[in-house]
Amino acid sequence: MEFSNYLPLPLRGDHTIFYYLLLVVLAAQILHSLSVGVLFFGKSSGDKRSNYCYGALLISFGLTLLHYWLVLAGVYERYPSLYFIPIYYTLAIPVLLFYHVKLSLYPQYQLRRSDLKHMILPIGQFVFFVFMFFSSMDFKAHYGRQFFNPFYGALEQGLFLTSFFAYLYFARRYVVQKRKNLRNKIELRRVFYARKLLQVAFYVFCIHTFFVLSDFISYQFWDINLRSVRVFAALGILSFAGILFWLGVYGFQILLWGRKVLNEG
């Protein structure tokens, strides 16, 4: 048993109104995050590198949720050749969130070679999925999702959980440091919004972590598969979508009145 990806398997064959409603809700969230993410690449105000990181964050998160949606809808079962299509970017999400906060608070920061170490796992995950996507079906079946696979498996889910909390902590340290050295009201507003972004993201991610660990622990110690419980499975994937919902809402607000509120030149 692996750390669950929270694909509500018992819902896939149950064509009730709740099943279709879940698909619609997830699809709406995917479209929203992708559209807002693309708009961040055209955002003229603020630090462009920070904008690019947040745009890439929303797109990466949206594509990862699309991966879950395709499994939930049974698309991979009907078209197995699409399995391992490179749209799964869990390991890039924490890094992009961290650099968005860091560069928005410290736009004068110059990226160094040492920053490349943060991209090792995200790039490795992308290369893994590209390689697997073009591999044979037999190879995918034998070497695809494995327990100790750092890019797609139990270890990957563990890395996603721990790295998300770790990068939230690192980003919060920059917020605290900036708060101690405020020079004007503009920086105060930026610190306020960055703090609010991280604070809500932390609470929502804690909810998702609860579902992931509950399923893992219950199976390992009591041989109970909580993913077979429809309500638990649906809430599990919605908890993941809830993180993206908050990031999308925050991003949409920044797009609407970011220049005015944050005085971005």
Side-chain angles (χ1 to χ4, degrees):
M1 178 64 180
E2 304 169 347
F3 278 99
S4 172
N5 266 334
Y6 282 92
L7 308 174
L9 302 180
L11 299 177
R12 292 193 298 182
D14 190 359
H15 297 260
T16 65
I17 184 63
F18 299 105
Y19 170 77
Y20 291 112
L21 181 60
L22 179 62
L23 289 178
V24 170
V25 169
L26 296 179
Q29 183 57 64
I30 293 169
L31 292 175
H32 176 259
S33 63
L34 294 179
S35 59
V36 175
V38 170
L39 291 176
F40 261 90
F41 283 90
K43 190 173 182 292
S44 58
S45 60
D47 183 84
K48 290 188 179 299
R49 298 171 303 168
S50 177
N51 293 338
Y52 294 161
C53 284
Y54 204 80
L57 168 66
L58 291 177
I59 293 174
S60 299
F61 216 135
L63 290 176
T64 303
L65 185 59
L66 176 60
H67 169 85
Y68 293 158
W69 190 94
L70 293 174
V71 176
L72 176 62
V75 175
Y76 289 143
E77 289 183 348
R78 292 191 295 270
Y79 306 99
S81 60
L82 294 179
Y83 201 59
F84 283 103
I85 185 173
I87 57 173
Y88 190 78
Y89 303 111
T90 54
L91 301 181
I93 293 170
V95 179
L96 292 170
L97 178 60
F98 166 74
Y99 273 100
H100 162 71
V101 173
K102 181 176 181 177
L103 294 174
S104 64
L105 296 178
Y106 295 92
Q108 72 278 8
Y109 178 78
Q110 298 297 321
L111 295 174
R112 305 179 178 91
R113 288 185 178 179
S114 58
D115 291 299
L116 293 175
K117 65 178 179 291
H118 298 282
M119 297 305 299
I120 293 176
L121 287 176
I123 293 175
Q125 187 175 46
F126 172 74
V127 172
F128 169 78
F129 268 80
V130 171
F131 175 78
M132 294 299 296
F133 179 69
F134 290 103
S135 299
S136 65
M137 293 303 299
D138 290 338
F139 189 86
K140 292 179 182 181
H142 286 88
Y143 302 102
R145 185 169 176 79
Q146 300 293 331
F147 188 93
F148 291 106
N149 189 336
F151 305 125
Y152 192 50
L155 181 57
E156 168 261 322
Q157 282 287 287
L159 288 173
F160 173 58
L161 295 181
T162 55
S163 64
F164 199 99
F165 281 118
Y167 278 107
L168 280 179
Y169 170 75
F170 296 146
R172 186 179 181 278
R173 289 184 59 183
Y174 279 101
V175 172
V176 172
Q177 182 64 31
K178 189 67 175 180
R179 195 175 183 180
K180 295 178 180 179
N181 300 280
L182 294 175
R183 293 177 295 181
N184 50 57
K185 292 183 178 180
I186 298 177
E187 291 188 347
L188 177 62
R189 291 171 183 165
R190 292 176 180 173
V191 168
F192 171 80
Y193 277 90
R195 181 173 176 269
K196 184 61 65 176
L197 168 65
L198 298 176
Q199 188 178 49
V200 177
F202 171 78
Y203 290 130
V204 180
F205 195 76
C206 282
I207 297 175
H208 176 66
T209 303
F210 167 78
F211 282 100
V212 175
L213 294 182
S214 296
D215 178 58
F216 180 77
I217 293 174
S218 65
Y219 191 88
Q220 291 294 323
F221 291 95
W222 299 294
D223 198 27
I224 300 175
N225 184 8
L226 292 178
R227 283 185 297 170
S228 62
V229 181
R230 296 174 181 175
V231 175
F232 184 90
L235 290 177
I237 194 171
L238 285 174
S239 70
F240 184 81
I243 309 168
L244 181 56
F245 175 76
W246 163 242
L247 296 177
V249 168
Y250 176 88
F252 188 68
Q253 291 178 333
I254 295 300
L255 285 175
L256 283 180
W257 53 74
R259 182 190 294 271
K260 180 179 179 180
V261 174
L262 303 178
N263 280 358
E264 296 174 330

